[in-house]
Amino acid sequence: MTERSEGTRKHGPVVTPPDEGGLTTALWAVDAGGSTTTAVLPGAGEVRTYGSVNPASVGAGPAARTLRDLFGDVAAALDGRDGTGWIATAAVDLDVGADEPLRLRDLARAAGVRGRLLVSNDCVPWLVAPPLSGRGVVLVCGTGSGFAAADGADALCRVGGCEYLGSDEGSAFTLGLDGLRAAVRAADGRGSATAIAARLTGLAGGRSPVELARALAAEAFPKAAVAALAPAVCDAWLDGDAVAASLVSAAVGELVLGVRAARDRAGLTGAWSVAAGGGVLRGCPPFLAELDRRLCTEAGAAEVVPVDRPAEAVYAALRSLARDDGEVRPPASAVGHAVRSLDLDPREHRTPPANAGDPADKPPDLHPPNNPTPPANATNPTDKPPDLHPPNNPTPPANATNPTDKPPDLHPPNNPTPPANATNPTDKPPDPHPPNHRARSARRPLRSPGDRPVGVGLCLAAWGGSRLDAALEHAARCGVDAVDLPTDSTSGLVDLVRWARDREHRAELRAAVAGTAVECVSNSRDSQLLLGPHGPHTDPVLAGSAADKREHALRSAMDTVRLAADLGAPHVRLMYGVPDVARWLSWWHSAVSWADNIALWCEEARPILRLAAEHGVTLLVEPHPKQVVYDRASARQLLDAAAETEPSASVRLCVDPANLAATGHDPVDSVRGWGAGLGAAHAKDLQRWGRPEAPPGAGWSRYGPGPPIRFRALGAGEMPWPAIVSALLDEDFRGVLYVEHEDALLPREQSTTASVRLLCDLLPQSGPQGRTW
């Protein structure tokens, strides 16, 4: 709403929370209206504003994406601690039944929020918080409208609140709709002339009210857009327009009627007050003043208390529920039946209370004496990994270990690696190096001034099933500039589950790679399950339902980003899968296209994009026939969509010319024209079989309906690597060209050594002198 009074209070950037001494949990609060969502984050009390999370206003997809953003911010502010939050949302009725509270719980869990969550309708906290303290009437007048009342003894009662087809009288939606209709009627002669029309045209970018009405009718979720027209009515009323005045008077009358009905249903007698808030009242103080006057004179209210900072009201209600022992519980009064309390920790893995001692010193006893001891690989997904650098224990210097010593055994024989699905995907281990303060001193710089302009790296995935120290030793013998460290559960080189929960193991991994330039951390097998396929194709990675696989993928991807940040690696390369390969093709009279896959990628990858942005890590996307990005056009489409989805995230390409050549694309052209969008490249060779009979020998496969192909070491196939390297130099590429071993005919040591040597021979080892004669 347009603010018409200098005295109107506005949201401040920070709420000063009350003293939380004695509380065992951090507090956070969310007010979710029809158009805007406001949150008070735990800790310093920062207030953030988001879009609508009400599916009735914006649709289920956009609502879920906004909730993921919000919960991600809450999880980051909690930083692994337990918290108690209250979400007050117009999408929940007073009986807090149905599926919405469970959806909110699941999204919060998926973002890594832990502790407890209270869920209620948006009016309930206003009734709980002082000065009403459980007795009085609540009036919400924003995008929609609704009323609730209680007499302090009996259960809460509700009036209205049945969405815009069944109620919402007096709301911004009703004002906007009535104003639009009045302008249309004035235009065709059925109604009186009104200044509302000109103001609507100004809001609609020059479109007439008739054009605007038709455009809004074509929208799938018009509620918020119609409500946004309410300022035109209020402004015209304040300027003396008679038609607008009648609409405002009718709206105020409906609000007074709703309050009277709520008062009578609750049986309120004697002195009682009204807590009134919402976007209409905050945005137009004269509207609130007129409502105040009529509520006192026509409904008998003793006082109208404006709620101009709804998220802070939710926070105040939450704080008022703190018990003497510091715990927070739903209201003990009858109002408590309108609040649902949900556990954000999985039932079988409750997080120990904050005063239970340092989990790093003595983990909580998850299996008392009368319970059988679990297998050695059982983990607790919600245990907060201990702080790598506790207070008064300074960060160890980068030279605390001897890089020439044999790296510690990351997987001792008597300590089997836990299964990949043993943890909760969104548990956030404590960040040993906060975002934008990456500690990179423990790894060797990539290249010094005067070295070759393009680095030569080695993908360590070929050492899967072996040991990390063996892979690192071979990389050192080859003399590569950098390595790509895989975290796949199928590889066994890095135990990602253990890393996420064990500070000693994190220290071991840092020591193991000390002196090695880990420029990229990757995951291909586990993260592939984010988009699928989710059938038997991927059961060897993780058998289970589609939801299980997506959960596993998100956990693996998020922890891979965190691991990269811990090691100071600037890049993370993930394979996200593809939901529907059939969208490669066009289908008769069908609107489906590859853009649908791109849209789903953006929705599912959003939390990963946000986490990478927070840690200053660049995400690399590799074009591949099994991915949403499979050629130049889809790569450009995804880069643009990712930038729009999360502008703060850095997303670039890792191009493998052999993968693109395998599906008929020009391998030289594949590295051209990307500019800064090309973050890294892979190097391997390719053989194609052109005869009708099946090819003999090992390593042959197919990428779609094309001829059989197999990958080889550089120089053993048909790829024009001198031309590819020349193209990279022409493009001023300054990244790393990683050797990837997939040769079924050569041992990995021989294959990678030969490939590294060939690349080094093709790349300038220092600045060229050019022609000198």
Side-chain angles (χ1 to χ4, degrees):
M1 299 292 293
T2 303
E3 295 182 357
R4 298 293 297 261
S5 169
E6 294 181 359
T8 302
R9 287 178 285 177
K10 302 178 181 179
H11 283 275
V14 174
V15 176
T16 303
D19 180 17
E20 295 185 4
L23 284 178
T24 61
T25 181
L27 303 182
W28 54 276
V30 176
D31 175 80
S35 301
T36 303
T37 303
T38 311
V40 178
L41 298 183
E46 179 186 358
V47 176
R48 292 192 184 179
T49 301
Y50 306 82
S52 175
V53 299
N54 188 342
S57 295
V58 295
R65 287 193 292 271
T66 303
L67 279 168
R68 290 190 185 103
D69 288 347
L70 188 157
F71 287 136
D73 291 341
V74 172
L78 287 172
D79 195 22
R81 297 173 296 160
D82 273 6
T84 297
W86 189 336
I87 298 180
T89 170
V92 170
D93 206 345
L94 288 185
D95 60 9
V96 290
D99 298 329
E100 183 65 8
L102 300 182
R103 184 178 78 98
L104 295 171
R105 179 202 63 188
D106 292 345
L107 287 169
R109 281 180 176 175
V113 182
R114 292 292 176 264
R116 297 204 70 79
L117 174 64
L118 306 184
V119 179
S120 74
N121 181 262
D122 55 351
C123 70
V124 173
W126 302 4
L127 190 59
V128 171
L132 267 59
S133 300
R135 185 179 186 277
V137 179
V138 168
L139 182 163
V140 180
C141 181
T143 300
S145 66
F147 313 86
D151 65 355
D154 294 329
L156 194 64
C157 67
R158 176 105 182 248
V159 172
C162 299
E163 282 300 337
Y164 62 96
L165 293 181
S167 58
D168 284 349
E169 296 87 354
S171 68
F173 174 82
T174 299
L175 280 169
L177 180 61
D178 288 348
L180 180 60
R181 287 176 172 171
V184 170
R185 291 172 66 86
D188 62 21
R190 291 178 295 151
S192 302
T194 174
I196 297 173
R199 286 170 170 78
L200 288 177
T201 298
L203 288 175
R207 287 182 294 177
S208 70
V210 172
E211 293 170 326
L212 176 60
R214 288 172 177 162
L216 290 174
E219 293 191 9
F221 299 97
K223 181 179 179 180
V226 173
L229 305 179
V233 178
C234 290
D235 288 349
W237 166 55
L238 294 175
D239 289 340
D241 183 80
V243 173
S246 68
L247 297 181
V248 169
S249 179
V252 173
E254 287 289 349
L255 297 176
V256 172
L257 180 62
V259 168
R260 292 174 62 180
R263 175 203 65 188
D264 294 343
R265 292 191 66 185
L268 279 170
T269 59
W272 54 276
S273 300
V274 178
V280 174
L281 309 185
R282 291 195 304 272
C284 188
F287 188 103
L288 174 59
E290 176 64 9
L291 176 64
D292 188 327
R293 182 187 68 81
R294 292 181 61 176
L295 283 175
C296 293
T297 59
E298 298 177 22
E303 179 187 18
V304 176
V305 180
V307 181
D308 58 354
R309 296 187 178 184
E312 295 181 43
V314 181
Y315 186 95
L318 182 62
R319 186 64 181 85
S320 72
L321 299 178
R323 304 189 309 186
D324 292 340
D325 61 3
E327 292 295 321
V328 177
R329 289 289 184 269
S333 66
V335 177
H337 294 295
V339 181
R340 186 162 181 181
S341 178
L342 300 167
D343 188 357
L344 293 181
D345 296 326
R347 183 171 299 278
E348 65 274 20
H349 296 300
R350 300 294 171 83
T351 303
N355 59 1
D358 184 356
D361 299 332
K362 183 180 180 181
D365 187 2
L366 301 181
H367 306 283
N370 291 332
N371 289 351
T373 302
N377 62 354
T379 64
N380 184 341
T382 57
D383 285 348
K384 176 185 175 185
D387 188 357
L388 300 189
H389 308 297
N392 303 322
N393 186 6
T395 303
N399 59 358
T401 60
N402 185 348
T404 60
D405 292 339
K406 180 180 178 181
D409 187 356
L410 301 185
H411 307 298
N414 294 326
N415 188 8
T417 302
N421 61 355
T423 65
N424 186 319
T426 55
D427 285 349
K428 179 181 179 181
D431 185 358
H433 308 292
N436 302 323
H437 296 283
R438 306 273 67 120
R440 296 175 181 255
S441 57
R443 66 177 182 87
R444 180 168 57 84
L446 175 59
R447 291 185 299 283
S448 302
D451 289 351
R452 51 181 171 251
V454 177
V456 175
L458 179 62
C459 292
L460 302 185
W463 273 260
S466 180
R467 299 178 61 87
L468 179 58
D469 54 358
L472 294 172
E473 288 168 5
H474 180 73
R477 285 195 298 270
C478 287
V480 295
D481 299 299
V483 299
D484 176 313
L485 178 65
T487 65
D488 305 81
S489 62
T490 56
S491 165
L493 292 181
V494 172
D495 186 344
L496 192 58
V497 171
R498 186 179 170 198
W499 178 91
R501 60 183 289 270
D502 185 343
R503 69 172 177 179
E504 292 184 1
H505 186 66
R506 291 196 290 278
E508 289 173 357
L509 182 59
R510 287 195 297 272
V513 300
T516 300
V518 180
E519 288 293 304
C520 184
V521 180
S522 62
N523 192 294
S524 301
R525 300 282 185 242
D526 303 294
S527 59
Q528 167 88 19
L529 303 185
L530 188 66
L531 296 178
H534 295 127
H537 322 68
T538 52
D539 280 353
V541 178
L542 180 77
S545 67
D548 292 338
K549 292 185 177 187
R550 281 192 293 267
E551 184 180 4
H552 172 75
L554 183 59
R555 171 181 58 245
S556 300
M558 301 281 273
D559 283 343
T560 297
V561 171
R562 294 172 183 129
L563 187 150
D566 187 33
L567 297 183
H571 293 157
V572 165
R573 179 176 57 83
L574 299 171
M575 306 289 259
Y576 302 84
V578 58
D580 189 355
V581 177
R583 288 173 179 156
W584 264 356
L585 309 172
S586 59
W587 300 91
W588 185 73
H589 280 208
S590 173
V592 300
S593 70
W594 200 258
D596 299 323
N597 284 337
I598 299 286
L600 188 56
W601 185 98
C602 290
E603 180 176 342
E604 296 295 334
R606 183 187 292 267
I608 305 170
L609 294 172
R610 289 183 62 85
L611 184 67
E614 290 170 6
H615 287 288
V617 173
T618 293
L619 292 176
L620 299 181
V621 178
E622 181 179 350
H624 189 280
K626 295 180 181 178
Q627 302 299 308
V628 167
V629 172
Y630 67 92
D631 65 357
R632 176 175 289 274
S634 59
R636 177 59 61 195
Q637 196 175 1
L638 185 135
L639 290 178
D640 292 343
E644 182 178 346
T645 300
E646 185 52 59
S648 63
S650 173
V651 181
R652 302 167 75 185
L653 294 179
C654 176
V655 172
D656 187 330
N659 283 339
L660 293 170
T663 53
H665 297 282
D666 185 336
V668 179
D669 183 65
S670 70
V671 300
R672 292 191 182 277
W674 296 112
L678 183 60
H682 282 177
K684 59 177 179 274
D685 222 317
L686 173 73
Q687 285 183 314
R688 280 179 279 212
W689 181 258
R691 304 183 57 157
E693 68 271 16
W700 294 99
S701 63
R702 288 180 182 272
Y703 276 2
I709 57 100
R710 68 178 173 185
F711 296 117
R712 299 296 313 277
L714 294 190
E718 57 191 68
M719 294 283 289
W721 273 103
I724 295 171
V725 170
S726 296
L728 288 169
L729 296 173
D730 290 342
E731 295 288 314
D732 199 27
F733 175 67
R734 288 291 186 268
V736 180
L737 191 52
Y738 291 95
V739 168
E740 193 173 33
H741 168 72
E742 296 184 31
D743 194 317
L745 302 183
L746 294 176
R748 60 192 173 201
E749 289 81 5
Q750 179 184 350
S751 168
T752 52
T753 300
S755 296
V756 168
R757 186 184 306 117
L758 186 147
L759 283 182
C760 290
D761 289 344
L762 292 175
L763 289 166
Q765 303 303 305
S766 60
Q769 291 78 28
R771 184 170 180 175
T772 58
W773 68 94

